Amino acid sequence: MADDLKEFTYDEVRAHNSKKDLWLVIEGRVYDITPFVDEHPGGEEVLLDVAGQDSTEAFDDVGHSDEAREILANLLKGSIKGGASAPKPIGKLSTTKPSSSDSFASLYIALVAGVVLAVGAWKYLQIMGASAA
């Protein structure tokens, strides 16, 4: 079956990087995600962030369900020339953005630090007010 798949280069995949024409490479296979962009539970932005490039790491990091993998199988377009071991392009396409879980962790840490500072300031003002009276 893998021999029957049309082969694409990373340059060909890179050209498909918009909401109306969105391809991804996952584990050496090329997927046309365009029909699924509006339905993606994580939103279109996460797909647009990896549009036209190898998205294997991002896909695996999220821990997609079996149902998600079935949907993906129906969107199979072909394979990347050289397979999963093909060298990935250098530059913007090979960098990864922080995942949404990294952003959430940073936000959570900032929120906790803010609460700790607020409670500390409140306690300090109580002590200062009591000593002034």
Side-chain angles (χ1 to χ4, degrees):
M1 167 148 170
D3 297 332
D4 298 339
L5 293 176
K6 181 173 181 182
E7 289 190 320
F8 298 94
T9 64
Y10 275 107
D11 285 339
E12 290 172 307
V13 173
R14 186 181 302 130
H16 303 274
N17 62 7
S18 70
K19 180 180 177 180
K20 295 184 186 265
D21 183 24
L22 199 156
W23 291 10
L24 305 174
V25 176
I26 300 173
E27 297 177 359
R29 293 184 176 235
V30 178
Y31 298 91
D32 181 355
I33 306 296
T34 310
F36 188 67
V37 171
D38 290 329
E39 299 172 35
H40 187 254
E44 67 184 49
E45 180 139 340
V46 294
L47 294 175
L48 290 169
D49 284 346
V50 294
Q53 58 188 298
D54 190 309
S55 310
T56 304
E57 186 176 338
F59 184 82
D60 290 343
D61 285 350
V62 172
H64 283 89
S65 66
D66 290 339
E67 181 182 2
R69 292 178 186 279
E70 288 174 24
I71 291 168
L72 192 63
N74 292 324
L75 301 171
L76 182 63
K77 183 87 175 162
S79 65
I80 202 75
K81 286 188 179 174
S85 63
K88 292 164 186 62
I90 300 172
K92 178 185 180 290
L93 297 178
S94 64
T95 62
T96 57
K97 295 187 176 201
S99 69
S100 59
S101 62
D102 290 342
S103 298
F104 178 76
S106 297
L107 178 62
Y108 181 75
I109 290 169
L111 181 63
V112 169
V115 168
V116 168
L117 286 173
V119 168
W122 179 68
K123 289 277 192 187
Y124 174 78
L125 291 174
Q126 274 190 329
I127 291 169
M128 294 304 291
S131 64

